[in-house]
């Protein structure tokens, strides 16, 4: 799978628009579209790093050397990235919520 195909697949799995990805990595919507269509064949290493980080995958996964994560793994990666921007207190609240949800799920089983 080429980087163009992988980028398109990751964007679709994460349910993001071209504009959302472009905004997240600091390039134009047209540039992301050109990457997905294979019209831009040599993105900068910096852009590849930003895209991999944005999707929560390794560079190897983005360029097709490693296996692409499934939709659930992408969602977890995205949530993890968003936690990094929270304060310690807010992260603790989220952690407590996760523990509570897991306990509720185990009781329902």
């Amino acid at each position: 799978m080429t980087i163009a195909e992988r980028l398109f697949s990751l964007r679709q799995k994460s349910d993001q628009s071209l504009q959302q990805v472009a905004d997240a990595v600091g390039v134009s919507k047209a540039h992301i579209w050109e990457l997905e269509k294979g019209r831009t064949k040599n993105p900068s290493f910096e852009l590849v790093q930003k895209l991999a980080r944005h999707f929560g995958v390794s560079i190897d996964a983005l360029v097709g050397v490693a296996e692409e994560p499934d939709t659930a793994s992408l969602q977890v990666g995205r949530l993890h990235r968003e936690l990094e921007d929270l304060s310690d207190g807010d992260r603790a609240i989220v952690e407590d919520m996760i523990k509570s949800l897991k306990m509720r799920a185990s009781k329902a089983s």
Side-chain angles (χ1 to χ4, degrees):
M1 194 177 261
T2 67
I3 190 170
E5 294 166 323
R6 188 60 61 95
L7 180 58
F8 177 76
S9 176
L10 289 168
R11 186 174 64 79
Q12 294 299 306
K13 282 182 179 179
S14 62
D15 195 30
Q16 295 180 46
S17 68
L18 288 167
Q19 190 65 59
Q20 287 171 313
V21 174
D23 290 346
V25 298
V27 297
S28 70
K29 175 180 168 181
H31 191 58
I32 298 298
W33 183 83
E34 288 173 353
L35 282 169
E36 284 188 3
K37 297 300 180 191
R39 294 184 179 174
T40 299
K41 300 209 184 267
N42 294 315
S44 71
F45 184 69
E46 179 184 4
L47 179 55
V48 171
Q49 285 179 311
K50 286 180 180 180
L51 287 165
R53 177 161 165 64
H54 173 71
F55 288 112
V57 299
S58 67
I59 290 173
D60 284 348
L62 181 62
V63 300
V65 175
E67 191 171 316
E68 181 178 344
D70 60 18
T71 303
S73 295
L74 283 175
Q75 183 182 29
V76 168
R78 187 176 65 247
L79 290 170
H80 183 261
R81 281 191 316 280
E82 290 176 7
L83 289 173
E84 292 174 350
D85 295 335
L86 298 178
S87 69
D88 290 344
D90 287 344
R91 276 196 301 274
I93 291 169
V94 172
E95 187 174 2
D96 287 343
M97 289 172 55
I98 290 170
K99 287 176 186 176
S100 176
L101 290 169
K102 288 175 79 173
M103 284 194 316
R104 187 174 74 184
S106 69
K107 288 178 183 177
S109 299

